[in-house]
Amino acid sequence: MIRQVLAAVRLWFSPQRLRAEGATPDYRFSLANERTFLAWLRTALALLAGGIAVDQFLTELRWAVRTTVAVVLLAGGALCAVRAVNHWVRSERAMRRGEDLPASRFPALLAVGTVLTALLVIGAVLLGWAGS
């Protein structure tokens, strides 16, 4: 398991290894894959900015609630960035090998995490969890 993770991470930083796999796909597909990667990075940055904003501007919420929401958003941003590069490499590799594109549960997990975070904030607002 650890060797597989290390091998995957090595591909993130070794484009020549990735190019050695299979045939070069149509550039339009590679560029679409890159645009998807960049969209995931924008999502990660938005989550990070949201986590910082919650911590800095929702000071009327109790510390535990504010910190929980901020940490969930920051962790989601970090996971989203890692997922972005990993999915980009896996998709590029699949295209080069003529395989099906990889499936991922991450979008569903991100959506559920976003909903749970929103519900936590809604609950805090409605229940008046104000104070330090």
Side-chain angles (χ1 to χ4, degrees), residues 68-86:
T68 299
V69 171
V71 167
V72 167
L73 290 170
L74 293 169
L79 286 172
C80 199
V82 169
R83 187 265 181 202
V85 70
N86 188 53

Side-chain angles (χ1 to χ4, degrees), residues 1-128:
M1 169 82 176
I2 293 175
R3 286 184 180 177
Q4 288 175 331
V5 170
L6 290 175
V9 171
R10 265 187 250 121
L11 276 179
W12 298 358
F13 301 101
S14 303
Q16 66 278 10
R17 283 187 182 180
L18 189 57
R19 286 186 176 165
E21 301 227 9
T24 301
D26 184 323
Y27 289 108
R28 292 174 294 177
F29 299 124
S30 289
L31 292 172
N33 188 29
E34 187 174 320
R35 285 190 302 273
T36 302
F37 165 74
L38 294 172
W40 279 104
L41 281 185
R42 285 190 300 273
T43 301
L45 288 170
L47 289 168
L48 293 174
I52 292 168
V54 164
D55 185 57
Q56 294 298 306
F57 299 116
L58 295 184
T59 55
E60 292 186 14
L61 288 179
R62 289 188 181 160
W63 179 86
V65 174
R66 187 178 76 233
T67 302
T68 299
V69 171
V71 167
V72 167
L73 290 170
L74 293 169
L79 286 172
C80 199
V82 169
R83 187 265 181 202
V85 70
N86 188 53
H87 189 74
W88 175 79
V89 168
R90 291 174 55 218
S91 295
E92 191 68 25
R93 179 188 250 179
M95 287 189 295
R96 289 180 166 279
R97 292 177 171 179
E99 300 171 353
D100 290 338
L101 293 178
S104 176
R105 291 185 184 107
F106 189 80
L109 294 173
L110 183 62
V112 169
T114 302
V115 168
L116 293 176
T117 303
L119 291 175
L120 179 62
V121 172
I122 290 168
V125 169
L126 291 178
L127 297 174

